[in-house]
């Protein structure tokens, strides 16, 4: 069983930066596609970014493209989300996820989910 634990969330002013980390424990996720999703109060969970196991192919939501960067360190069983130029509309609980399913939108085959870390961007 893969356990995913997010960290790095917090309060930040608009225009600032945060780096989220997702650490895996138990079974390695080295063969998994990994991603970040987010959910704001009263809104549906939405896709943010994904990175594939094969070839480290990345996709981003249009709303974060050019501002966020997803990366992975398979040796450390860790995936990151570098968030720059943060906007108030980025405020949400951010969830790390992994899976081996079809690497297709909207869910990209995610099967395992962390409990989330809250990011709050003030204006």
């Amino acid at each position: 069983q893969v356990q995913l634990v997010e960290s790095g969330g917090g309060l930040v002013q608009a225009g600032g930066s945060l780096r989220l980390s997702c650490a895996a424990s138990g079974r390695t996720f080295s063969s998994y596609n990994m991603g970040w999703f987010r959910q704001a109060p009263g809104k549906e969970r939405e896709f943010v970014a994904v990175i594939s196991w094969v070839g480290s192919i990345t996709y981003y939501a249009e709303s974060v493209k050019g501002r966020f960067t997803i990366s992975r360190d398979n040796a450390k069983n860790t995936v990151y989300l570098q968030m720059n130029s943060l906007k108030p509309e980025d405020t949400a609980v951010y969830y790390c996820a992994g899976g081996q399913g079809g690497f297709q939108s909207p869910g990209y085959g995610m099967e395992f989910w962390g409990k989330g870390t809250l990011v709050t961007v003030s204006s």
Side-chain angles (χ1 to χ4, degrees):
Q1 179 68 38
V2 176
Q3 303 290 334
L4 303 176
V5 179
E6 304 94 335
S7 63
L11 302 172
V12 64
Q13 194 172 24
S17 298
L18 283 175
R19 189 194 194 198
L20 305 183
S21 298
C22 174
S25 62
R27 198 180 305 276
T28 180
F29 69 80
S30 61
S31 63
Y32 285 81
N33 307 313
M34 299 295 296
W36 290 94
F37 297 74
R38 67 187 183 186
Q39 186 169 25
K43 298 179 63 178
E44 296 180 355
R45 182 183 63 188
E46 66 176 351
F47 160 75
V48 176
V50 289
I51 183 167
S52 69
W53 164 246
V54 179
S56 294
I57 304 300
T58 59
Y59 296 103
Y60 296 91
E62 187 66 27
S63 60
V64 307
K65 192 175 299 182
R67 300 186 299 119
F68 291 10
T69 303
I70 187 172
S71 61
R72 64 191 297 162
D73 187 336
N74 293 330
K76 296 181 178 180
N77 289 332
T78 302
V79 62
Y80 305 96
L81 185 69
Q82 178 67 45
M83 306 185 296
N84 298 326
S85 301
L86 283 162
K87 305 174 181 179
E89 50 262 47
D90 295 318
T91 295
V93 176
Y94 284 71
Y95 297 93
C96 177
Q100 295 180 306
F103 196 62
Q104 302 171 4
S105 65
Y108 289 91
M110 299 298 148
E111 304 169 26
F112 306 99
W113 296 82
K115 290 180 169 57
T117 185
L118 177 63
V119 172
T120 302
V121 184
S122 64
S123 59

